[in-house]
Amino acid sequence: MSEGSLCLKLNDVSGKFQLTQWSDKLSTHTTASFTGSTMGTLPAESICESVDSGVGCDHSNWGYQAEVWYTIADVFLTENRLDDAQKSVDEIKQLFPLSHLVSYMNARLREKEGKTREAEQEFVNAVTLSPCHVPSLVALGRLQLALHKPTLAEHYLVEATHLQPDQHEAWHYLGLLHGAQGAHTRAADCFLTALRFESCAPIRPYSVLNWRL
């Protein structure tokens, strides 16, 4: 195993996934375990949702591995550990190369790196693979707004609110868009809607409860 590499294995005895990260400078390694209860804290998006149901990955160990790698990538992104996040996304890609979440996570990585155009293309790829993936639609709308493409921004954000009416971030960015266009009444309505939905939004999406059953 190369230095600085990540390894995820299923312990046959304990039934836990163990993430091992080998230090670049130390001969020791550290591990983190993931059990069924840990899986209950995974993000709402499911890797398996983007795979042909005929694969039957919903209850397989390799399907759960992909979910764990996705969570790990999300944590690394939050901590700005971009190299480790990219390694985690690459692990997902090996399991499910056509998952929209691979494109979505790569887009977030490119954004962190300041590569806006590459991020835009990756978000477009994610939406192409899964037109109903709301986080990609919101992110793409936000990015189009930053790129001064209001028509495209409105298209993606409105689509996100149609698919998930209580998506407060989409309403917030629609408010910014209308405000920039001078439509202050519409902007205020969007901001109020965003505030109302955000105030009652759960800390974690309700969809993660499926993992606890």
Side-chain angles (χ1 to χ4, degrees):
M1 182 178 295
S2 61
E3 290 187 348
S5 61
L6 300 172
C7 181
L8 185 67
K9 293 182 178 180
L10 178 65
N11 187 309
D12 293 332
V13 177
S14 66
K16 296 180 180 180
F17 286 103
Q18 290 186 321
L19 173 69
T20 301
Q21 181 172 20
W22 293 84
S23 172
D24 293 328
K25 299 180 180 179
L26 302 177
S27 60
T28 59
H29 65 278
T30 57
T31 62
S33 297
F34 298 86
T35 63
S37 61
T38 307
M39 300 298 288
T41 63
L42 291 174
E45 301 85 26
S46 172
I47 294 287
C48 295
E49 289 176 358
S50 65
V51 182
D52 188 342
S53 58
V55 174
C57 70
D58 288 348
H59 300 290
S60 67
N61 290 334
W62 55 286
Y64 288 138
Q65 280 194 54
E67 297 285 358
V68 174
W69 279 119
Y70 178 63
T71 301
I72 294 168
D74 191 61
V75 171
F76 282 149
L77 267 174
T78 302
E79 296 182 350
N80 288 318
R81 296 173 57 178
L82 304 187
D83 289 342
D84 287 334
Q86 185 65 69
K87 291 176 184 177
S88 301
V89 174
D90 291 342
E91 292 290 343
I92 302 171
K93 188 174 182 178
Q94 290 185 33
L95 294 167
F96 300 112
L98 297 180
S99 170
H100 63 281
L101 294 179
V102 173
S103 295
Y104 174 66
M105 294 300 285
N106 275 327
R108 292 176 59 190
L109 275 163
R110 301 295 84 80
E111 266 200 296
K112 285 278 190 179
E113 295 168 347
K115 300 176 181 178
T116 306
R117 297 297 178 181
E118 292 182 24
E120 179 185 18
Q121 185 57 55
E122 289 286 2
F123 279 132
V124 169
N125 292 344
V127 171
T128 301
L129 290 168
S130 181
C132 295
H133 187 233
V134 174
S136 291
L137 290 169
V138 175
L140 195 50
R142 169 180 52 75
L143 196 59
Q144 299 296 348
L145 189 59
L147 293 172
H148 306 290
K149 300 178 181 179
T151 302
L152 282 174
E154 185 171 14
H155 167 75
Y156 291 119
L157 293 171
V158 168
E159 181 65 18
T161 60
H162 286 167
L163 291 168
Q164 187 178 338
D166 61 350
Q167 223 298 335
H168 58 87
E169 290 185 3
W171 287 108
H172 172 76
Y173 290 119
L174 278 172
L176 292 177
L177 186 149
H178 292 314
Q181 294 175 332
H184 301 300
T185 301
R186 294 179 66 185
D189 289 340
C190 289
F191 286 134
L192 287 172
T193 302
L195 184 61
R196 183 173 72 252
F197 285 134
E198 184 179 20
S199 65
C200 59
I203 296 175
R204 299 295 299 169
Y206 292 121
S207 55
V208 304
L209 294 175
N210 293 332
W211 290 96
R212 298 185 183 276
L213 299 180

